[in-house]
Amino acid sequence: MTRTERNIHLNYIGEIALILFATTIAGALSQRIGIPSVIGQLLVGVLLGPALLNWIRPGELLTAGAEIGVIILMFMAGLESDLKLLKKYFKPAISVATLGVILPMACFYIYGVVMHQSFERAIFWGVVFAATSVSISVEVLREFGKLNTKEGATILGAAVVDDIMAVLILSIFVSMFSSGSSQPNLALSIVEQIAYFVMVYVVIRWVAPLLIRLFERLPVPQSVPIMSLIICLGMAYIADLTGLSAVIGAFFAGIAVAQTSAHEEVATNISPIGYAFFVPIFFVSIGVEMWFDHFWNNILLILGMTIVAILSKLIGGGLGARILGFSFNSAYVVGAGMVSRGEMALIIAQIGYQSKLLAPELYSELIVVIILSTVIAPLLLKHAIARLE
């Protein structure tokens, strides 16, 4: 290892120490003033990142830590989920996801045309904001004890369906309009994703219970939690290989382990690893991506896009729940839980930028809108939960 590489690693260790200290203080202050602690963690990223103090900058090591954080967060969500409840509310989840994709795409296409974007670029704005990142909503639902309710189950189910739809739409549009050299094979992607969900069923039904039983017999400390992490990371990795989000694999891995006898042991041992270390890094990494270089030059565009991003998902998701019999306040919780865009929208935006489906001069503004909608989403969800109660 060269001296430069050693310095980079030591700097990263210092950044982690700063992140953990700052997020702990911010979480305590957030709870004292009555806002979700995740908001404090996001704002720590904005404060420490390039937008303000510039003490922490995006990098490969921070990104890797954040990726593990969101995977563990969604693994814990799957572990805490009631599979029967998810099955029961799968139909409203389909409705929420469908309207939660159609409405943002239609609204952003109209907005893009008004802002003089070409047909494919206007459509791709809609593709970017059709995505949902449920990881932040999961943390807020868990904090307020609403994860294992009909609203929580609908949000989780809808997020999985939403993710699949967004990936398929992305594949179609990149293959049709991309001017890049590399274009995905849509038919192959669909076959791979179908095969993945067959594998998910096999893992939940047979593989996970068998592996957990085998590792229970090993005379090794923490062998069962280690096996659960292997299942989690393995399913996340394979999901990513098929073009799905890694968080889908992590979520189903959590559901698989939850069906075994080791459920409580795994939850007790994995939760401190995630919530004390990796999850704060994930939330800070979102804030670190925010900057204000051209913010004021395009403030009206950014505000307009942010309003459309929030309302289209809130109304689309809420309407999907309302159609299938949810009360107004329950539908409001579901719609608010779908607003966050997070890493899914960032990934789609990056693919669109590389494929020349997004105007380069508006790419930064689009990123700011994604992050603003992600920061506002937990506040909206907290307000919806308060109304429900």
Side-chain angles (χ1 to χ4, degrees), residues 257-268:
V257 174
Q259 310 311 306
T260 70
S261 58
H263 178 201
E264 292 298 328
E265 181 185 355
V266 172
T268 302

Side-chain angles (χ1 to χ4, degrees), residues 118-150:
S118 64
F119 171 78
E120 60 269 23
R121 286 182 174 177
I123 286 284
F124 204 80
W125 279 11
V127 177
V128 171
F129 288 99
T132 293
S133 173
V134 78
S135 49
I136 291 175
S137 297
V138 161
E139 179 65 5
V140 177
L141 289 166
R142 189 190 63 82
E143 188 175 328
F144 288 95
K146 297 293 181 184
L147 187 60
N148 230 13
T149 61
K150 69 175 184 179

Side-chain angles (χ1 to χ4, degrees), residues 200-249:
V200 165
Y201 176 78
V202 172
V203 170
I204 292 174
R205 189 75 177 83
W206 294 291
V207 176
L210 175 62
L211 291 175
I212 292 295
R213 283 197 300 272
L214 288 174
F215 270 65
E216 281 175 336
R217 299 174 184 175
L218 293 181
V220 178
Q222 307 297 323
S223 60
V224 172
I226 289 170
M227 185 67 248
S228 71
L229 280 176
I230 292 170
I231 294 170
C232 168
L233 297 174
M235 289 182 69
Y237 175 69
I238 296 171
D240 186 69
L241 287 180
T242 63
L244 294 167
S245 170
V247 299
I248 286 183

